Amino acid sequence: RFSAKAGSPDYGAITVGINLRGSAEVIKRVGREMFTPMPNVDSAVVKITVDDEKYKNVDKSAVRDAVRIAFSSRRKMLVNNLMNAKKLSRADAEQMLINAGIDLKARGETLDVEDYVKLSKELR
């Protein structure tokens, strides 16, 4: 989940948060047989690199708010989440997405960090 790509089933709010501050990469896969008792899932060692210059001039709190809205109802389209969270009309929510250059049928898990930065500016 830490290093998932936008649009994949593992992509989520934690992925966006990490990508906002730096990057994550899988260093090594660790099989479930390495643990006692053996869990039902495999594991991985993940390296998270923090880059203080990445999105330095972006209001990260506003981006977190946009992410929270987008993933509040994960399977819903983003326009519906915006309408519910911000009490917007459909037309206003759609206009925000258009202004941010985001597809009107987008869902939270399809947006990358750049999209969330643009959306956060529109939410302000």
Side-chain angles (χ1 to χ4, degrees), residues 6 10 17 34 43 45-46 53 61 67 73 90 101 108 111 113 115 123:
D10 291 331
M34 300 296 292
S43 298
V45 176
V46 178
E53 296 300 312
S61 176
V67 170
S73 293
R90 178 167 295 280
L111 304 183
V113 177
D115 292 326
L123 286 170

Side-chain angles (χ1 to χ4, degrees), residues 6-23:
S8 72
D10 291 331
Y11 188 76
I14 188 76
T15 317
V16 178
I18 289 171
N19 288 328
L20 185 63
R21 302 258 181 198
S23 62

Side-chain angles (χ1 to χ4, degrees), residues 15-104:
T15 317
V16 178
I18 289 171
N19 288 328
L20 185 63
R21 302 258 181 198
S23 62
E25 65 178 307
V26 175
I27 300 297
K28 181 178 182 177
R29 302 258 179 219
V30 182
R32 63 186 83 189
E33 67 279 351
M34 300 296 292
F35 299 92
T36 305
M38 188 166 54
N40 292 328
V41 295
D42 292 323
S43 298
V45 176
V46 178
K47 177 182 178 185
I48 298 175
T49 304
V50 176
D51 180 357
D52 291 329
E53 296 300 312
K54 191 172 186 181
Y55 300 107
K56 184 171 119 176
N57 298 321
V58 170
D59 181 355
K60 291 178 179 68
S61 176
V63 175
R64 280 192 299 274
D65 288 343
V67 170
R68 182 184 42 75
I69 290 168
F71 287 99
S72 63
S73 293
R74 186 175 176 95
R75 301 306 314 154
K76 283 189 175 182
M77 288 191 301
L78 186 55
V79 68
N80 292 326
N81 287 349
L82 284 171
M83 289 168 47
N84 292 334
K86 293 294 188 178
K87 308 295 185 227
L88 299 171
S89 68
R90 178 167 295 280
D92 288 343
E94 287 177 349
Q95 190 59 53
M96 287 180 108
L97 294 177
I98 290 168
N99 292 346
I102 298 170
D103 181 18
L104 296 179

